[in-house]
Amino acid sequence: MKIGILKENQPEQRVALLPESVKALIKLKVEVLLEKGAGNLAYTFDPEYIDAGAIIVERNNVLSDSDILVFINPLGAEEIQKINSSKILMGAMNPFGNIEVVKELVAKNITSFSLELVPRTSRAQSMDILSSMATVAGYRAVLDAALHLPRFFPMFMSAAGTIKPAKVLILGAGVAGLQAIAVARKLGAVVEVFDVRSAVKEEVKSLGGKFIEVEGAVEDAAAGGYAVEQTDEFKQKQADLIDQHAQTSHVVICTAQIPGRKAPLLLKKETVKAMKSGSVIIDLAASSGGNCELTINGEIAKVEGVTIIGKSDYPSDMPYDASAMYAKNMFNFLKLIINDTGELDLNFDDEIVKGTCLTHKGEVINERVKAVL
Ligand code: NAD
């Protein structure tokens, strides 16, 4: 069986598999094809892949000769049209934001796996690209905020006087939010945190953040640990509290999301306008609508002295380690579907294989995507 690594379209800088994972795949008796130069922007070059055992070819040959095509961002509808339906596609297909491509895959009878759909269970943790990429995003978001802020993060006592520490407000304490708390604390900031899931309270505290509780949050065990839509009364209470805390903060990091839905609106424009001049907002939820009303996805906006950075693609800015984490997750999933002789072995009785499968035999398989369709 042949696995083909495709080169991403710019500005994406990551690559789906690095040479270490190629070597491990070859040990599983699989051949690996690499589109020429696919790792260049992740600072990993063709000779390193050749040393690991990959064969370097042009894109057309990867597309025609591979049994499994691996990538990060989904292929466009035009390219999917040209692909033979015996191929298996595997990447971050962004199914909730890309319903047209899902329909295209169904119509063409293509089997596809979307690694964002890997179940959030302990057994599947080593395949969880959402956690890996959120770790990178939370880390980079804090560093970016520190660079844009016209103040220090830590407290300084010097001959030139005492400088107070910056105050950072984090909205959402999932994987990205927890990472952001840890980095902001390491840089010496005072950190406050909002989340609708009370389960994160202890984690926030153990990282040195202060958890601000809003009473009356709706939590649903059936949502698999994810946040669910809140009542209007809760939203109003939360908005008032966020408004108060944002006005005394220097940085707000927005990470709150609800899978498959528009991100909750948590920072109203009136709140932003009342914030201290020079403050910085980083909105990691920008691509799903943003937590801040004034966010423009992919842009840096300035409103009454407040810098608002709408950025959901931090992992691409740290392409080496982001690719390394993605590649490890991808390899661990591939191991599940390759048998001892290096051939494909799809076991749909395995909840990880079934849960991660987006389309198969002309049907949408993942239940959450099916529900949205
Ligand atoms: P996410 O990206 O879906 O959301 C980020 C955070 O925003 C979440 O903590 C969510 O509760 C919060 N949020 C949503 N709406 C909000 C609102 N209105 N106000 C404030 N906060 C709001 O989250 P994620 O990082 O993908 O993690 C989601 C869940 O998956 C968590 O329960 C996490 O512990 C769990 N998880 C499990 C595993 C595993 O077991 N393999 C791995 C990673 C994450």
Side-chain angles (χ1 to χ4, degrees):
M1 186 173 66
K2 289 182 183 155
I3 294 180
I5 309 166
L6 288 168
K7 186 176 176 174
E8 300 294 313
N9 287 326
Q10 282 191 39
E12 178 60 71
Q13 300 190 76
R14 291 168 296 168
V15 60
L17 290 173
L18 286 179
E20 195 191 335
S21 302
V22 169
K23 226 185 253 174
L25 280 169
I26 287 168
K27 275 198 193 141
L28 295 182
K29 305 186 184 101
V30 167
E31 281 183 67
V32 179
L33 308 179
L34 175 88
E35 179 178 348
K36 205 170 155 190
N40 287 357
L41 294 178
Y43 300 90
T44 313
F45 304 100
D46 291 354
E48 296 168 63
Y49 281 98
I50 293 171
D51 285 349
I55 302 162
I56 313 295
V57 292
E58 298 295 336
R59 186 174 186 87
N60 279 343
N61 300 97
V62 180
L63 290 170
S64 60
D65 300 350
S66 311
D67 301 293
I68 303 181
L69 292 161
V70 300
F71 45 84
I72 295 180
N73 296 295
L75 305 187
E78 243 173 64
E79 203 153 43
I80 290 176
Q81 273 295 334
K82 290 189 217 145
I83 287 173
N84 183 307
S85 57
S86 64
K87 311 282 174 207
I88 293 181
L89 303 189
M90 197 177 289
M93 311 287 286
N94 183 21
F96 299 110
N98 215 357
I99 290 295
E100 288 316 308
V101 166
V102 179
K103 288 182 182 160
E104 191 71 38
L105 292 166
V106 168
K108 275 219 72 178
N109 223 353
I110 290 178
T111 297
S112 62
F113 290 91
S114 192
L115 295 186
E116 307 103 313
L117 301 175
V118 164
R120 309 303 281 274
T121 58
S122 334
R123 196 178 141 240
Q125 238 164 359
S126 64
M127 307 163 206
D128 183 356
I129 60 160
L130 285 185
S131 291
S132 301
M133 297 305 109
T135 300
V136 179
Y139 168 80
R140 291 292 288 210
V142 173
L143 299 186
D144 207 8
L147 285 177
H148 279 85
L149 191 70
R151 299 171 164 267
F152 281 113
F153 262 40
M155 182 175 94
F156 272 115
M157 291 211 275
S158 75
T162 300
I163 289 179
K164 286 189 184 160
K167 198 171 145 199
V168 175
L169 178 66
I170 296 179
L171 305 180
V175 182
L178 292 173
Q179 183 64 23
I181 300 169
V183 178
R185 289 289 302 137
K186 277 182 200 153
L187 289 179
V190 171
V191 179
E192 293 185 332
V193 183
F194 276 89
D195 199 298
V196 287
R197 293 181 301 118
S198 54
V200 292
K201 193 170 162 180
E202 289 310 314
E203 277 178 277
V204 168
K205 273 199 209 157
S206 71
L207 289 169
K210 182 176 174 207
F211 188 75
I212 301 168
E213 200 146 7
V214 187
E215 278 172 20
V218 180
E219 302 193 38
D220 180 0
Y226 284 110
V228 291
E229 188 68 31
Q230 299 297 316
T231 61
D232 288 343
E233 189 192 346
F234 175 88
K235 283 185 193 164
Q236 189 53 52
K237 259 199 246 170
Q238 189 189 36
D240 293 344
L241 266 179
I242 289 178
D243 183 68
Q244 281 170 29
H245 287 264
Q247 288 187 38
T248 57
S249 298
H250 304 102
V251 170
V252 183
I253 311 269
C254 304
T255 78
Q257 308 210 43
I258 303 176
R261 307 190 63 155
K262 195 172 174 306
L265 183 59
L266 302 176
L267 264 187
K268 302 230 167 86
K269 57 174 180 266
E270 295 76 19
T271 303
V272 176
K273 287 178 182 169
M275 282 173 68
K276 293 176 198 294
S277 188
S279 302
V280 178
I281 297 169
I282 306 268
D283 198 340
L284 293 179
S287 65
S288 54
N291 292 150
C292 171
E293 200 172 356
L294 295 172
T295 294
I296 305 171
N297 187 25
E299 289 189 22
I300 300 180
K302 258 239 153 97
V303 177
E304 298 188 17
V306 178
T307 304
I308 307 162
I309 303 176
K311 194 163 164 60
S312 299
D313 62 349
Y314 279 110
S316 171
D317 291 352
M318 211 175 83
Y320 187 81
D321 274 341
S323 301
M325 292 171 93
Y326 186 99
K328 257 286 164 51
N329 296 147
M330 169 80 83
F331 171 73
N332 286 327
F333 183 76
L334 283 165
K335 244 184 354 184
L336 255 195
I337 60 165
I338 296 173
N339 69 15
D340 295 346
T341 55
E343 293 307 319
L344 184 70
D345 181 10
L346 288 180
N347 172 13
F348 284 97
D349 289 334
D350 183 325
E351 52 153 25
I352 300 180
V353 176
K354 186 167 180 233
T356 309
C357 185
L358 179 58
T359 58
H360 182 58
K361 293 192 173 160
E363 266 188 69
V364 173
I365 303 297
N366 178 276
E367 295 297 338
R368 278 192 293 136
V369 180
K370 213 189 265 183
V372 170
L373 268 176

